[in-house]
Amino acid sequence: MQMLWLPITLLCAFSLATSDALTKKALAARYNEYLVAWLRLLLMLPPLTVLLLSTPKPTLGPEFLLTILIALPLELVALILYIKALKLSPLGLTVPFLALTPLFLLVIPYLLLGERISLTGGIGVLFIAAGSYVLNLSRHGNGILSPFRAILKERGSLCMIGVAVLYSFTATLSKKAISVSSPLFFASFYPMLVFLCLTPVALWKGRNELRFMKQTGIMQAALFPAFFSFVETITGVVALSLTNVAYMIAVKRLSLLMGILYGYFLFREDGLGERLAGGILMIAGVALIVIGGR
């Protein structure tokens, strides 16, 4: 039971990478990015509703409500910034900054939850953060510091740094909300609230495309991303309830490595061999967490 979080987190990472790859395919068809993100959540509502109705409702106190009220606006801002980052700048100058999230999680869960991690586990988190950064560098071959140099001229890079910071807080707050409710209740209830918050933004940003949704096939394009996003949500919440936030999010970053494989096999992207070093670092990090994390 102690190590059950690891295979669940690996399934979470796989589901996230698959959902993102299918979303990228939808965006390549020039569908509105806000509507695609919104439809992913919309299509998740039926299974989430079934899960919510079949899950015993825990006693929800003021601590749960306060945590949700703090987390929701942060989650919405992070989602919007993520969309903007993907739209404004090349992936090679934005995605590497997601590697900062595990670094922030070495500190924030301790401050908010009192979670401690071992020295070996901490080194494993650092390995995964470094690996997830390195494996994205070949997307933009101007050296290891190219994403940081781009901060001055690429607004997308700044957006993604904001996302990395916000994700470290939302992951920690999610762990807190789970601890005062239940994993399955939170997994079904929280995405519904995110959907409600995103709805006015998406409908306004995609107002010109709404009339043509049926003709363009955007609903069908969002169906499979929504399914894998649902699996990612459930497995992510369950894994968070079983281990430290820093460990879970660090291992979940293997989705970046899986995304590279998707890029190679589905989109014929180059540079698979060049990214091997980043993959080795990430796998070594996971091994250190498994061996010495507690």
Side-chain angles (χ1 to χ4, degrees):
M1 184 71 178
Q2 186 177 4
M3 291 305 299
L4 185 61
W5 71 271
L6 182 61
I8 294 175
T9 304
L10 291 174
L11 177 58
C12 177
F14 169 77
S15 300
L16 174 59
T18 304
S19 180
D20 283 350
L22 294 171
T23 299
K24 178 181 178 180
K25 187 176 181 180
L27 292 175
R30 299 189 179 277
Y31 294 129
N32 180 279
E33 64 271 17
Y34 287 91
L35 282 181
V36 170
W38 179 72
L39 285 170
R40 274 188 12 174
L41 289 170
L42 175 65
L43 294 170
M44 288 170 58
L45 290 184
L48 287 174
T49 302
V50 172
L51 180 62
L52 181 63
L53 294 176
S54 60
T55 300
K57 184 180 177 182
T59 302
L60 303 177
E63 194 173 12
F64 176 82
L65 298 176
L66 178 60
T67 303
I68 289 294
L69 287 175
I70 295 172
L72 270 177
L74 298 179
E75 194 82 54
L76 182 62
V77 172
L79 181 57
I80 292 173
L81 286 178
Y82 190 90
I83 293 169
K84 283 187 172 293
L86 294 179
K87 184 176 183 178
L88 290 172
S89 300
L91 286 177
L93 298 179
T94 54
V95 172
F97 287 110
L98 288 176
L100 295 175
T101 300
L103 300 183
F104 295 132
L105 286 170
L106 291 174
V107 178
I108 293 173
Y110 173 75
L111 296 177
L112 297 184
L113 303 178
E115 283 190 351
R116 297 176 180 272
I117 64 175
S118 68
L119 176 61
T120 305
I123 295 172
V125 171
L126 292 175
F127 269 49
I128 292 174
S132 60
Y133 181 88
V134 168
L135 64 82
N136 281 282
L137 286 176
S138 61
R139 293 177 186 261
H140 194 86
N142 290 324
I144 195 168
L145 297 178
S146 58
F148 287 96
R149 287 196 296 267
I151 292 175
L152 299 176
K153 57 182 179 179
E154 291 284 352
R155 287 187 297 161
S157 298
L158 289 174
C159 288
M160 197 60 85
I161 291 174
V163 171
V165 175
L166 289 170
Y167 275 176
S168 61
F169 280 98
T170 57
T172 306
L173 291 168
S174 294
K175 176 68 178 284
K176 179 66 175 178
I178 292 167
S179 69
V180 294
S181 59
S182 73
L184 291 181
F185 173 81
F186 180 81
S188 55
F189 181 64
Y190 187 67
M192 292 181 176
L193 296 180
V194 175
F195 169 78
L196 290 176
C197 292
L198 179 62
T199 294
V201 178
L203 295 184
W204 173 254
K205 289 289 187 180
R207 61 191 181 278
N208 295 326
E209 289 90 344
L210 281 172
R211 293 174 297 172
F212 308 106
M213 281 176 55
K214 187 174 182 180
Q215 296 92 316
T216 59
I218 188 173
M219 288 285 287
Q220 294 89 330
L223 182 60
F224 284 108
F227 169 76
F228 284 103
S229 188
F230 172 76
V231 176
E232 180 232 334
T233 298
I234 303 303
T235 53
V237 168
V238 172
L240 266 179
S241 69
L242 296 175
T243 190
N244 289 345
V245 182
Y247 294 160
M248 183 271 173
I249 297 298
V251 174
K252 185 180 176 181
R253 280 292 169 263
L254 285 174
S255 64
L256 299 178
L257 176 60
M258 297 173 189
I260 296 297
L261 297 176
Y262 271 126
Y264 178 77
F265 289 108
L266 294 184
F267 304 106
R268 302 303 177 188
E269 295 179 356
D270 297 327
L272 179 64
E274 299 169 15
R275 295 166 185 155
L276 184 60
I280 292 173
L281 279 173
M282 296 182 79
I283 295 170
V286 173
L288 285 171
I289 290 175
V290 171
I291 292 170
R294 65 177 186 274

